[in-house]
Amino acid sequence: MKQRDLKYSCLIAVLYFGMNVNAQVTPKKDSVTKEQKIEEVVLIGYGSQKKENVTGSIGVVSAKDLADKPNSNPMSSVQGKVAGVNIVNAGSPGTSPRVDIRGVGSLTGNTVFIVDGTITNDISFLNPQDIESMSILKDPSSLAIFGAQAANGAVIIKTKTGRGKPVYNFNSYLGFKKLTNVPRMANTKQYIELYNEKLMNDNGNSNGSLSPNQFSADTNWFDEVFRKSSIINANDFSASGSLGKLNYYGSIGYLQDEGIFDAGHNINSGNGFNRLNTKLNLSYKITDNLTIGDNFTFSKMRTDAVNSPLLNAYNSPPIFDPMNSATGNYQFFNGYSIANPRAVLDLFRSQTRQERLLNNVWAEYKFLKDFTFKVSYTTDNYNTSKYEYTPVLTYVPVGDQKPTKLITRDSRDRNYIWDNTLTWKKSFGNHNLEILGGFSRVRNSYQPTYSEALNVFYNGTNESLSISNGTDILVIDNRVVDKYNNVPNQDRTESLFARINYDYKGKYLINGSVRRDGTSKYSKDDRFRTFPAVSAGWVISKEDFMSSQNVFNLLKLRASYGKLGNPNVNRSYDALVNVITSGAYYGSTGYPASTITEFIDPSIGWETTTGRDVGLEMGLLNNKLKIEATYFDKDTKDVVYGVVQGTVSGASNWNNYVTNAYSFKNKGFEVMANYDAKLSENVRLGVYGNLTTLDNKITSVYGGSYLETGASLFGNSIVRLQEGQSVGAYYGYQVAGVFQTDAEAAASGQSGAKAGWFKFADQDGNGVIDSRDKTFLGSPIPKGTYGFGVNMNVYSFDISVDFQGVFGNKIYNYNREQRFGNENWDLDFYNNRWTGPGSSNSYSMTTNNQSIILPSSFYVENGSYIRLRNVTIGYTLPKDLAKSMLLTKLRLYVSAQNPWTSFKYNGFSPEILNTDRVQMGIDNNIAPISAIYTFGMNLTF
């Protein structure tokens, strides 16, 4: 690398603990001086900082970690790469993953993303190929500068810019998706055996039994609703460089993902996802002191959705064919309370279209040598249009048929951010000081419209699905501005903030920040909150007493403390009132009266988070080996959610009274290590690993109460929020075995029990099994997450292998529990069920009795897994050969994502994406993860 290239201050090194090591730009010779080496720089709030001087906890992701991965959302590719960041991916194309940074701090908030100045909760619009670098802020001292916007963690994303000679890139891949680990269900012969066995167990006779001669079908319903394989394809073109004082980067990309459900039958459009992206980043240096710029992004997305048939496919008996051969219509399962999965999939059509335009205009002015003023104005506008259409279900009995129904949901979001910062940077001998002050204003408005109509008929075009073509039209328009010019669903935030960074000789580091936020979501009495943070670092390796040692190239101790707040909580402002026609009597005459049916808490306020962080960073073996260890402790108070509150008895919401009800604690350790070595002139080796442990607890509940919530059968909720337990903990009966004889069951105190039923543990020891014997059965939150991998460059070949996994969490198999009568059974149950004394002490007999579907430990399964997340093999043409083809670089590669997963869970995948954090571990009709095999190329010219 040429010496003059080191002057480019915009270079951001990407080598970081747990990251891909091949993307770092280093001089060819290891003998260069320290001054010649590029210093690692990371993105922080409203700026950047040398990694060595960072006193907070920040994870860095490089462009190389995101590129060439068959994921529509950039965060999906981060899974397993950064300690302290738990990412749960989705099986449905276009669905954003859930990102939890250092545990669960809120039940309503989400991690935010700051993309070139734009603050958003979702980056599904963003092309991963456009990203230059990403910083994940994990501790409150790093987050406090963003205040209320970042209470649940923040990810700063910088998109690519241009410089120098024109460079053109074309990237393309074609991938094939295939479901793996599909559960095996009972076939027709096995189902009939189980069905008849159930009749004997429940009735003592075989009246109504089935015979194999009655049924010719043997349907695998998963094969009916899923594609055998589907295609994902992406193509991107970019150009970057300089034209005089103008630096530019422009790109256009298109991604298509067919989805996993079988499309093209009847009106079913499947669950595919398509996205068109354009990007243009410009910066122009008007004078030596004044630079202006613009970051422009436009995306157009289409998401097809299905009425998920997954649970129906799990439950449907194999004895039926999808189609009725006599009528040519879909088969109706007469006598079974299960809808035909093929019909559920085919007789529904839904599509969401979104156009999003983000534009960030900025100017930066340097004056008086040490001062920099920057102003930035960002608009984020997007329009969303969605429809859901259901035709007449002609295959069901006439009495159950309903007219066609069309529902449309349109919305318009108009958001803006105005940031102003003034920075003073000055060195006084060995003292280095940087002070930043700023003002920010944010406005978000959301204007939805809901419409529905009956008797709309679909002729094969989306144009026919118009509300105006139907009858019984209902329109609810929330876009109307009232006479006072108040816009519905609008909120505003104004903020003042400041930060000081100080270091002495690069050895002693201090960072302090404060932000004061005011939000329109609250009354003036609780509108403003102040969030301070402080952190410090000691670079021990720069001390004189360390000068003679040869072990540590870097040894740094750091600690931080900070506070954050979250105003974005669910709340209501008016109690629900019911008017009773003759509710009050005076004598014999009744008069209208009113009663409050649902109480609200008008004093709901901010959620607040206080965090502490202590870390140690080490560089060894001439910085070939880097290690970082961190302890974190985060307390969140006044978390807004429902709670049982008997004092509002008489109101309908006595068992779900929403208020500032909970406090949480998340604490744990993070360890990251990265080894990077050049073994020879043509061989480089990189190895990384990271491990995070997490202990999540509810530390207090309003009034010492609790809440039973989540999915439930016959009023038996699965989740209970209670002090001392983790968020989302399962609650039910502990299965102590299976009754082997009727005599054992009769002596148990379990009402109505008999041989073959689950034996529930008598938790209170009173000899009677009832609801007081319920107990906590496990947590959906992993006790640990990890990732590790290796990558090598050998001459013109490159290979990388990444693993990731979780341990210590439980999954509630709600798919398996939902039984109402004659559903199918999985093969695991068939092989292990109780059939008589001594046959099984863990699986019950086949029965329709509700005792076996009470919430219990039988449905709580091990959620631990280890997965081969990615494996890639690439080949880069020799430079001389590429040059002869008028190319700068041509790389071809093959890769596999999720080709292998080891787990014990009886389901498609142990990775369960449920956006409701209270139900995060409940597998209820969740779309499964696919393996993806791709072939691609990277072309530079």
Side-chain angles (χ1 to χ4, degrees), residues 146 361 364 450 513 534 620 734 928:
F146 289 117
V361 181
E364 185 176 87
Y450 172 91
S513 67
V534 62
L620 304 94
Q734 182 67 49

Side-chain angles (χ1 to χ4, degrees), residues 280-344:
L280 181 63
N281 288 345
L282 302 172
S283 65
Y284 185 76
K285 195 168 187 177
I286 299 176
T287 68
D288 290 342
N289 296 325
L290 178 61
T291 304
I292 62 174
D294 183 78
N295 301 310
F296 172 89
T297 302
F298 174 77
S299 69
K300 188 173 184 178
M301 296 181 287
R302 191 193 79 191
T303 306
D304 297 316
V306 299
N307 185 9
S308 178
L310 185 60
L311 183 60
N312 295 90
Y314 189 94
N315 286 332
S316 290
I319 59 177
F320 295 109
D321 282 310
M323 307 299 294
N324 186 320
S325 58
T327 64
N329 209 332
Y330 294 95
Q331 179 68 53
F332 178 70
F333 300 166
N334 191 29
Y336 292 76
S337 57
I338 307 165
N340 184 326
R342 185 75 245 185
V344 168

Side-chain angles (χ1 to χ4, degrees), residues 565-711:
N566 176 30
N568 303 311
V569 298
N570 296 328
R571 59 182 303 192
S572 300
Y573 296 91
D574 299 302
L576 295 183
V577 178
N578 184 33
V579 178
I580 305 173
T581 304
S582 298
Y585 281 84
Y586 294 92
S588 60
T589 305
Y591 295 90
S594 299
T595 180
I596 296 176
T597 58
E598 184 172 317
F599 279 93
I600 58 100
D601 181 2
S603 65
I604 288 177
W606 297 64
E607 298 177 345
T608 58
T609 297
T610 302
R612 294 154 290 274
D613 183 290
V614 179
L616 182 67
E617 299 177 18
M618 295 175 283
L620 304 94
L621 305 177
N622 292 324
N623 279 323
K624 293 177 182 177
L625 176 62
K626 294 188 177 183
I627 301 173
E628 183 171 346
T630 304
Y631 170 77
F632 63 89
D633 189 330
K634 182 171 68 173
D635 292 304
T636 304
K637 296 183 178 180
D638 297 323
V639 176
V640 176
Y641 208 72
V643 66
V644 171
Q645 191 61 23
T647 58
V648 293
S649 60
S652 62
N653 64 326
W654 67 270
N655 60 347
N656 191 14
Y657 178 68
V658 178
T659 186
N660 293 104
Y662 299 90
S663 295
F664 301 156
K665 177 181 280 291
N666 294 276
K667 62 181 180 179
F669 290 92
E670 299 172 357
V671 179
M672 299 179 283
N674 187 16
Y675 178 77
D676 174 29
K678 190 174 183 180
L679 305 182
S680 69
E681 185 65 25
N682 297 300
V683 180
R684 178 175 286 276
L685 171 67
V687 181
Y688 76 88
N690 62 76
L691 170 67
T692 304
T693 65
L694 177 65
D695 181 17
N696 170 273
K697 285 288 187 295
I698 299 173
T699 54
S700 69
V701 182
Y702 180 76
S705 189
Y706 64 93
L707 178 69
E708 292 189 3
T709 185

Side-chain angles (χ1 to χ4, degrees), residues 231-246:
I231 292 175
I232 180 172
N233 173 239
N235 299 278
D236 306 276
F237 175 79
S238 67
S240 62
S242 299
L243 293 172
K245 295 182 179 181
L246 176 69

Side-chain angles (χ1 to χ4, degrees), residues 52-88:
E52 190 176 88
N53 291 344
V54 171
T55 51
S57 186
I58 301 176
V60 178
V61 181
S62 73
K64 190 174 181 64
D65 288 295
L66 305 174
D68 304 333
K69 305 295 192 301
N71 300 309
S72 60
N73 193 295
M75 292 306 297
S76 296
S77 301
V78 181
Q79 188 180 46
K81 293 294 185 73
V82 180
V85 181
N86 184 30
I87 295 175
V88 182

Side-chain angles (χ1 to χ4, degrees), residues 130-161:
D130 288 333
I131 296 176
E132 179 177 281
S133 62
M134 178 187 292
S135 287
I136 302 177
L137 311 185
K138 298 187 286 185
D139 70 309
S141 73
S142 301
L143 293 162
I145 196 68
F146 289 117
Q149 301 285 348
N152 295 287
V155 179
I156 304 177
I157 296 174
K158 183 180 184 298
T159 58
K160 293 177 180 177
T161 57

Side-chain angles (χ1 to χ4, degrees), residues 728-852:
Y730 312 122
Y731 189 70
Y733 296 95
Q734 182 67 49
V735 175
V738 175
F739 293 117
Q740 301 299 315
T741 64
D742 288 337
E744 180 189 10
S748 69
Q750 192 168 319
S751 178
K754 61 181 183 179
W757 285 20
F758 287 135
K759 181 195 303 183
F760 297 138
D762 185 8
Q763 300 289 346
D764 59 6
N766 67 354
V768 177
I769 303 299
D770 54 26
S771 61
R772 291 170 294 184
D773 292 301
K774 288 184 178 181
T775 187
F776 288 94
L777 305 173
S779 167
I781 300 176
K783 293 181 180 179
T785 60
Y786 58 90
F788 61 92
V790 60
N791 52 78
M792 289 188 68
N793 287 81
V794 181
Y795 291 88
S796 296
F797 290 91
D798 61 89
I799 181 171
S800 63
V801 181
D802 300 310
F803 290 86
Q804 62 89 209
V806 305
F807 61 88
N809 62 307
K810 301 294 184 181
I811 297 172
Y812 198 95
N813 196 336
Y814 194 56
N815 291 335
R816 200 178 207 185
E817 183 187 28
Q818 295 182 75
R819 301 194 62 83
F820 302 93
N822 298 319
E823 293 84 357
N824 196 9
W825 293 265
D826 57 55
L827 195 60
D828 175 71
F829 179 86
Y830 174 83
N831 290 329
N832 295 286
R833 72 193 188 280
W834 186 90
T835 55
S839 58
S840 176
N841 198 38
S842 54
Y843 287 68
S844 72
M845 67 179 181
T846 55
T847 177
N848 275 345
N849 190 277
Q850 289 188 17
S851 67
I852 67 162

